Amino acid sequence: MDTVPSDWREARRFRAYELKQKGWQQTDIAEALGVSEGAVSQWMKKAREGGKEALKTSPRPGRPPKLSEKKRTERLPELLEKGPEHFGFRGEVWTRKRVREVIKEEFGVEYDVSQVGRILDQIGWSRQKPDHRSDRRDEEAIEEWKEEEWPRIKKSRD
């Protein structure tokens, strides 16, 4: 029975191996798969030493994630959809610090703020501007400032 690839990179290595078994040259395999000849050479060396199984994706080194895949990709977005006010924060804006606090409270896991940004990227949450503007906003004063004050400030800097 054939080995089923776990990801596209593994599938590419398996395909290279199959093409080599059919008599293809490494140069042609590299060109067909859009990789370097060196990559094909390394893959074929691995396959010679350990067979096709040696081309399988190996586990990533390093510490396992603090949050499981399911908690990160399913549970966290569900919690964030409830909005910051649900968790006692004032205003409808999520910050990385607020998300960090929610993760700590809900999952008992602490992250650095920079890691929270990475997690938010992974789950497809991007930085956003608030949907609404203050009802106390003075549009006329803003335009006047843009037309008169800003050019004056800019000119004094030059």
Side-chain angles (χ1 to χ4, degrees), residues 7-21:
D7 62 31
W8 67 270
R9 289 178 187 92
E10 186 176 286
R12 184 172 57 186
R13 291 190 297 271
F14 287 174
R15 183 68 180 140
Y17 177 79
E18 291 163 5
L19 293 173
K20 185 67 175 166
Q21 301 310 302

Side-chain angles (χ1 to χ4, degrees), residues 5 16 47 56 73 111 114 148:
K56 289 182 73 64
T73 61
Y111 280 104
S114 64
E148 296 173 19

Side-chain angles (χ1 to χ4, degrees), residues 42-112:
Q42 288 175 1
W43 299 340
M44 294 308 113
K45 181 181 180 201
K46 270 186 158 182
R48 275 192 308 276
E49 294 171 357
K52 188 175 177 181
E53 288 296 310
L55 298 175
K56 289 182 73 64
T57 300
S58 54
R60 290 185 177 187
R63 171 191 265 180
K66 294 177 182 179
L67 272 183
S68 71
E69 175 88 11
K70 185 171 183 163
K71 286 179 182 174
R72 189 176 67 250
T73 61
E74 293 177 25
R75 187 73 183 115
L76 182 58
E78 286 173 7
L79 293 170
L80 298 180
E81 286 292 336
K82 294 179 179 182
E85 291 180 347
H86 176 83
F87 295 94
F89 300 111
R90 287 187 61 200
E92 285 293 321
V93 178
W94 277 116
T95 63
R96 291 182 304 173
K97 285 182 181 179
R98 288 178 173 189
V99 173
R100 177 181 178 217
E101 287 183 42
V102 170
I103 291 172
K104 185 178 176 184
E105 277 297 312
E106 296 293 322
F107 304 114
V109 173
E110 286 192 61
Y111 280 104
D112 184 79

Side-chain angles (χ1 to χ4, degrees), residues 2 13 16 55 57 61 76-77 88 91 98 103 105 113 115-116 119 121 124 127-128 133 139-140 142 155-157:
D2 271 344
R13 291 190 297 271
L55 298 175
T57 300
L76 182 58
R98 288 178 173 189
I103 291 172
E105 277 297 312
V113 173
Q115 294 298 327
V116 172
I119 290 169
D121 285 343
R127 296 179 189 177
Q128 306 266 323
R133 294 176 180 233
E139 296 295 335
E140 236 177 78
I142 292 170
K155 189 175 183 179
S156 70
R157 289 176 143 184

Side-chain angles (χ1 to χ4, degrees), residues 120-132:
L120 291 172
D121 285 343
Q122 290 170 356
I123 64 173
W125 280 62
S126 62
R127 296 179 189 177
Q128 306 266 323
K129 290 184 179 177
D131 288 341
H132 59 279

